[in-house]
Amino acid sequence: MIAERIAQLAARIGDQTALMHRGESWSYGKLASEAECLAGSLAAYRGQRVGVAISSASRQLVTLAALDRIGAIAVLYSVSSGAGVLDQSRRQLKLAKLLTDLPGLDQGSTEQSHSANHDTREPGQSDEGQIVLFTSGTSGPPKPALHSWASLAAAVRYDEHLQGACWLLTYDPAKFAGLQVILQAILTGGRIAIPDTASPTAAARCLAEQQVQFASGTPTYWRMLLYGTSREDLARASLEQITLGGEPVSQSLLDALKETFPAARITHIYASTEMGRCFSVSDGRAGFPRTYLDDDRLPCKLRIAEDGQLLIRSDQAMSGYLGEQSKNRGWFATGDLVQLHEDRVYFIGRQSDAINVGGNKVYPLEVEEVIRLVPGVHDVRVHGITSSMVGQLVAAQVQPASDVDEQSLREQILAACRVQLAKHKLPAAIRFCHRLDITEAGKIARKAD
Amino acid sequence: MSENTEVPNTVEAIINRILTESGRAARSIKDDDHLMDTIGLDSLDLAVIVVNLEQDLGVDPFRDGAAAVRTFGALVTLYENTIKEQA
């Protein structure tokens, strides 16, 4: 599907840029010809599992297109996984080959017999291109989710006007969110822009220089962009659409984005590697409408379990975890806790994020939101710390604005928390840092210290 | 009698900091002041004090299961002993 589409676009708009990164530009024509060429050399791997761990987004795309062309199962790894993890996984998943530009990894086949051409596709699976993506592993080790290109591309919006539009890629291109942006851009003949580095000023520069129209990132990424840049840095950006995903979105962040980019439409998306894209919200409010719980028109069905967990049943879900027999057609327990309030359903946090203070559960998000609103606080990460006396206590890692007196900020933070939060939710320890702990997926790190 | 007042001073300072940060008044603290009944600390306060004391003094006597103490003096002695043992 993806190989076919790139070839189609190459025939129509072969000279148009498909990807821009560090001054290097790839046209649709170049993507197509490189993919064809690579497909030729990989033809022997039809039906087999081929690992892909490539640092350049454009080369990764070429490789995935080539594997799609020959009907192999692409197993996609993030380069940040590291050689050790990759080596272990390739053995575990019995990869026929590993295509990588990481040093120190043998690309050869791990199978004894090179001439074996056994088809490792799941029984009953069609010929359509398949791809394995790893979950972000926020609450447990990453798991391999098997998708078809069709299920991955199900949420792509097709519109003639999107041809030539510029899309900012901030996510890891080897993960679900990154692939969503790549597919949306490439399948509609758009142009992907990747900032030179992960810094906020590089992102602002990219937004301005490339005249990005569509930008997508985690709430943490957007907060970093807002607080790490000045009005002038962002003045030349002309965003039409801002998308957030991967973490719950707070009202204060939505309001701040609206103020900074008044012309942009702002949407937040609920999706997971396993479930695909479930629903989106563009009404400027955090959470989602209660009516989504009964809406048959949504591509997924939503329910709230007894324990407050959100349950989802989706047609765009993965086929299942690789190697597991059960088909994923039942209700999927997302691990995300929600709360009904009037006409809205709000996200409280992941079950696994709960900090257990003497039997009382505290969710970091609630405390973070209170602390974020204290003047002088740029951003904050709330997490659990061990307490020999009550099991766990709440702790806060605060990124202060520059020139702020830490002692008085500490007092103000505690005063604000005291007014708005129950006693067991108050941070027992406050640490000031210049950079917060953020995961590779661009989300606030949640594992307890 | 120990001439070293570092531990008692630190413990008193942390207790007062926890008191003032939670909107209560600081006070002078004597050895036989009862942590809960006299000074008004509850178990959550004590847990917070212990975490802060670990940052400053480097030890947590309760991690290895020390029994709860009732007075300021007993708390100080517990910390002094633990520091000596782990030195």
Side-chain angles (χ1 to χ4, degrees):
Chain A
M1 172 213 227
I2 182 147
E4 203 181 307
R5 183 63 177 151
I6 290 177
Q8 261 175 18
L9 288 164
R12 271 201 302 141
I13 49 169
D15 289 334
Q16 190 194 290
T17 304
L19 263 148
M20 265 299 276
H21 182 40
R22 296 207 175 139
E24 204 196 341
S25 152
W26 283 65
S27 66
Y28 277 94
K30 183 172 176 188
L31 278 181
S33 61
E34 297 270 333
E36 269 309 301
C37 195
L38 185 58
S41 68
L42 295 173
Y45 294 99
R46 159 174 286 281
Q48 298 185 57
R49 293 177 189 171
V50 176
V52 178
I54 294 176
S55 52
S56 136
S58 29
R59 287 236 162 258
Q60 180 195 280
L61 181 56
V62 162
T63 310
L64 293 177
L67 292 172
D68 176 44
R69 165 71 79 214
I70 61 164
I73 300 167
V75 180
L76 188 53
Y77 294 95
S78 178
V79 292
S80 57
S81 310
V85 166
L86 270 167
D87 230 20
Q88 191 185 38
S89 181
R90 73 189 297 179
R91 265 185 275 276
Q92 244 173 354
L93 300 183
K94 298 192 178 58
L95 301 183
K97 188 162 177 62
L98 174 63
L99 296 166
T100 181
D101 57 358
L102 291 178
L105 277 167
D106 169 29
Q107 307 226 12
S109 169
T110 54
E111 298 297 302
Q112 288 291 39
S113 161
H114 290 250
S115 59
N117 194 25
H118 55 280
D119 197 320
T120 54
R121 273 175 295 180
E122 308 293 295
Q125 224 76 61
S126 70
D127 262 348
E128 64 179 13
Q130 292 187 295
I131 174 166
V132 172
L133 288 178
F134 286 90
T135 62
S136 58
T138 348
S139 43
K143 300 169 86 162
L146 179 64
H147 273 278
S148 62
W149 284 109
S151 66
L152 271 189
V156 168
R157 182 167 59 98
Y158 291 92
D159 187 332
E160 280 172 11
H161 298 111
L162 292 177
Q163 190 184 299
C166 185
W167 303 76
L168 188 74
L169 178 65
T170 67
Y171 296 117
D172 182 339
K175 293 270 169 26
F176 179 81
L179 272 179
Q180 287 293 293
V181 174
I182 291 171
L183 284 175
Q184 173 65 62
I186 297 293
L187 295 179
T188 57
R191 177 166 57 97
I192 296 172
I194 303 175
D196 292 344
T197 69
S199 81
T201 39
R205 198 166 47 239
C206 192
L207 285 177
E209 282 169 17
Q210 300 297 323
Q211 285 295 284
V212 173
Q213 287 129 306
F214 301 89
S216 200
T218 58
T220 296
Y221 185 92
W222 283 109
R223 272 195 302 270
M224 267 181 13
L225 182 70
L226 286 179
Y227 299 132
T229 55
S230 65
R231 274 293 151 97
E232 294 76 51
D233 292 334
L234 296 175
R236 291 192 301 136
S238 55
L239 281 170
E240 284 174 21
Q241 168 75 44
I242 290 173
T243 307
L244 301 104
E247 290 171 306
V249 172
S250 66
Q251 191 59 51
S252 59
L253 178 59
L254 287 173
D255 296 340
L257 284 170
K258 190 81 216 152
E259 207 205 310
T260 310
F261 302 104
R265 180 168 174 267
I266 302 174
T267 302
H268 49 106
I269 294 180
Y270 184 84
S272 72
T273 309
E274 292 104 326
M275 286 287 106
R277 178 168 156 154
C278 300
F279 59 85
S280 65
V281 179
S282 307
D283 60 13
R285 293 172 63 188
F288 61 91
R290 193 179 184 139
T291 52
Y292 279 19
L293 295 172
D294 301 308
D295 195 336
D296 281 334
R297 292 165 303 171
L298 286 179
C300 64
K301 304 282 171 283
L302 303 170
R303 247 177 62 190
I304 303 179
E306 296 272 302
D307 61 358
Q309 216 187 140
L310 186 64
L311 304 177
I312 299 202
R313 209 174 67 198
S314 167
D315 291 330
Q316 289 157 207
M318 60 176 176
S319 315
Y321 291 114
L322 197 65
E324 283 172 30
Q325 297 303 338
S326 56
K327 278 267 176 220
N328 189 49
R329 291 289 168 242
W331 289 95
F332 181 77
T334 61
D336 288 317
L337 292 174
V338 295
Q339 196 171 63
L340 278 168
H341 182 62
E342 293 172 0
D343 64 335
R344 212 80 185 164
V345 182
Y346 292 99
F347 285 98
I348 300 178
R350 292 197 59 74
Q351 265 180 336
S352 53
D353 291 345
I355 302 168
N356 194 334
V357 180
N360 297 300
K361 290 214 174 113
V362 184
Y363 292 94
L365 286 179
E366 187 189 359
V367 183
E368 281 169 4
E369 268 312 284
V370 170
I371 297 179
R372 264 193 204 113
L373 294 174
V374 176
V377 172
H378 261 176
D379 207 352
V380 58
R381 170 189 160 245
V382 167
H383 57 101
I385 49 172
T386 319
S387 160
S388 51
M389 305 196 80
V390 292
Q392 279 188 302
L393 283 168
V394 174
Q397 189 190 24
V398 176
Q399 193 181 22
S402 43
D403 302 337
V404 146
D405 173 53
E406 285 178 8
Q407 183 50 37
S408 77
L409 184 58
R410 209 192 125 86
E411 283 159 21
Q412 284 167 56
I413 288 172
L414 286 165
C417 288
R418 240 181 24 242
V419 169
Q420 301 178 65
L421 300 168
K423 189 165 168 172
H424 61 275
K425 298 183 183 176
L426 305 181
I430 296 178
R431 223 180 355 144
F432 292 99
C433 308
H434 293 296
R435 290 179 35 151
L436 301 183
D437 291 353
I438 300 207
T439 69
E440 274 141 17
K443 309 178 193 183
I444 299 260
R446 293 278 176 224
K447 300 210 177 89
D449 288 2
Chain B
M1 270 304 208
S2 174
E3 294 297 344
N4 190 342
T5 52
E6 189 212 331
V7 176
N9 285 349
T10 305
V11 178
E12 183 173 2
I14 298 270
I15 290 177
N16 273 321
R17 199 174 83 196
I18 264 65
L19 285 172
T20 53
E21 280 174 355
S22 55
R24 293 171 276 183
R27 48 173 293 149
S28 77
I29 304 178
K30 299 191 299 294
D31 273 354
D32 52 2
D33 280 344
H34 204 274
L35 295 168
M36 292 189 144
D37 298 343
T38 319
I39 306 177
L41 302 168
D42 64 16
S43 53
L44 198 49
D45 292 323
L46 286 171
V48 175
I49 287 165
V50 167
V51 149
N52 280 274
L53 281 174
E54 185 173 12
Q55 268 175 4
D56 284 11
L57 299 175
V59 299
D60 178 353
F62 302 95
R63 179 165 297 135
D64 305 314
V69 293
R70 294 222 156 79
T71 64
F72 174 73
L75 185 64
V76 169
T77 306
L78 179 59
Y79 271 88
E80 284 172 337
N81 291 342
T82 310
I83 290 169
K84 258 193 234 128
E85 274 163 37
Q86 298 192 14

